[in-house]
Amino acid sequence: MNDFQFTSEEIYTCPAEALANLLGRKWVPQIIETLAIQDTRFLELVRQLDGSTPKMIKQQLDLLIANEIVKNEKITIQNTVESTYQLTTKGRELFQIVKQMKHWGQINLICH
C-alpha cells in the first residue's frame, strides 16, 4: 500500500484522508479560491482573507508550495523584486474539487 504525505510529519495510508486533512486546515480552501480568481501578492492575500494573520497565511502558502499546489512567481522590475502567488496546474485541478465540495456543503449541510 502507498503512503501519502503532504508534510514531513504526517503520513496517511488513504489519499482521501490526506486531502481532507489538507483542505481542513485553516485558510487553505480560501487561499485556493482566492488564487483561482487571480494571482495575488502576499499582503493583498492577507487583506482579502479577513481575520487571517500574515504568519498563518505564510505557513499555509509554504505548505501549498511544498505540495506544488501554489507557486511564488518572482520578477525583477528596476531592481525591485515583485512576488505573486498563483495556482499551479495541480492547484487549478484542486480548485475544481474545492468548488464541488463547497457546492455540496451548501446544499447538504446545515451551516450556521
Side-chain angles (χ1 to χ4, degrees), residues 101-110:
M101 289 174 67
K102 187 174 179 179
H103 177 72
W104 188 93
Q106 289 170 333
I107 293 170
N108 296 290
L109 298 177
I110 299 169

Side-chain angles (χ1 to χ4, degrees), residues 24-104:
R25 290 176 181 256
K26 186 88 171 148
W27 301 112
V28 167
Q30 293 93 331
I31 290 170
I32 292 169
E33 285 183 300
T34 300
L35 295 179
I37 296 168
Q38 70 179 29
D39 301 347
T40 308
R41 297 187 63 164
F42 180 76
L43 290 177
E44 178 63 20
L45 187 59
V46 172
R47 189 189 67 72
Q48 289 182 29
L49 300 174
D50 190 36
S52 68
T53 64
K55 180 181 177 182
M56 176 58 75
I57 299 305
K58 176 75 170 110
Q59 288 173 344
Q60 304 308 35
L61 284 169
D62 288 346
L63 177 64
L64 293 168
I65 289 169
N67 284 279
E68 300 174 349
I69 296 165
V70 169
K71 66 180 176 178
N72 184 358
E73 189 72 27
K74 296 178 183 182
I75 58 170
T76 303
I77 301 173
Q78 298 178 353
N79 295 328
T80 302
V81 176
E82 289 194 7
S83 172
T84 58
Y85 291 89
Q86 52 192 251
L87 292 180
T88 62
T89 300
K90 282 171 53 173
R92 288 189 296 279
E93 290 173 4
L94 183 55
F95 169 66
Q96 296 305 315
I97 295 168
V98 169
K99 192 164 66 169
Q100 290 173 348
M101 289 174 67
K102 187 174 179 179
H103 177 72
W104 188 93

